[in-house]
Amino acid sequence: QVQLVESGGGLVQAGGSLRLSCAASGNTFSINAIGWYRQAPGKLRELVAVTRSEVSGKYADSVKGRFAISRDNAKNTVYLQMTSLKPEDTAVYYCNAQSLTNDYWGQGTQVTVSS
């Protein structure tokens, strides 16, 4: 099993920045990919960014050039640096980790961007 705990959400004005963190614990050696999804009210959950070992991050078109995913393997933590935030980035952001057989989710952290 893998446990994921997100932090770093909050309220920010348009154009501002936030950094989300996701700390993984448990069988972290089993993780093949780890990343971030988001879900806005009334919308489906969507991929924001994902990273796999030795491979650069993959991003949703809507966040390319503004968001950056990174990981600190020594701390078992993945980060999402968000810049030039827009009101449409408002959502609950979820950390997701995938192994060969399982899909793990954090509890989510709210990001609200005011105009």
Side-chain angles (χ1 to χ4, degrees):
Q1 294 294 317
V2 173
Q3 295 79 43
L4 304 171
V5 178
E6 302 104 332
S7 60
L11 173 65
V12 64
Q13 289 187 331
S17 300
L18 280 176
R19 189 178 80 157
L20 305 182
S21 300
C22 172
S25 60
N27 295 333
T28 57
F29 64 88
S30 68
I31 295 174
N32 292 330
I34 189 166
W36 295 90
Y37 285 70
R38 68 186 180 186
Q39 188 167 18
K43 294 188 177 181
L44 297 174
R45 191 172 297 187
E46 63 176 0
L47 173 70
V48 177
V50 63
T51 180
R52 300 178 185 273
S53 299
E54 311 302 325
V55 177
S56 61
K58 175 182 177 181
Y59 299 90
D61 288 343
S62 59
V63 307
K64 283 181 181 177
R66 300 188 298 120
F67 291 11
I69 189 169
S70 62
R71 58 195 298 175
D72 184 334
N73 290 327
K75 295 182 179 179
N76 288 322
T77 299
V78 64
Y79 304 97
L80 185 68
Q81 180 67 50
M82 306 185 293
T83 61
S84 301
L85 282 161
K86 304 176 181 180
E88 50 264 44
D89 294 318
T90 295
V92 178
Y93 284 70
Y94 296 90
C95 184
N96 169 263
Q98 297 177 5
S99 68
L100 287 177
T101 57
N102 288 293
D103 207 9
Y104 303 98
W105 294 92
Q107 81 285 356
T109 185
Q110 177 71 46
V111 171
T112 303
V113 184
S114 64
S115 58

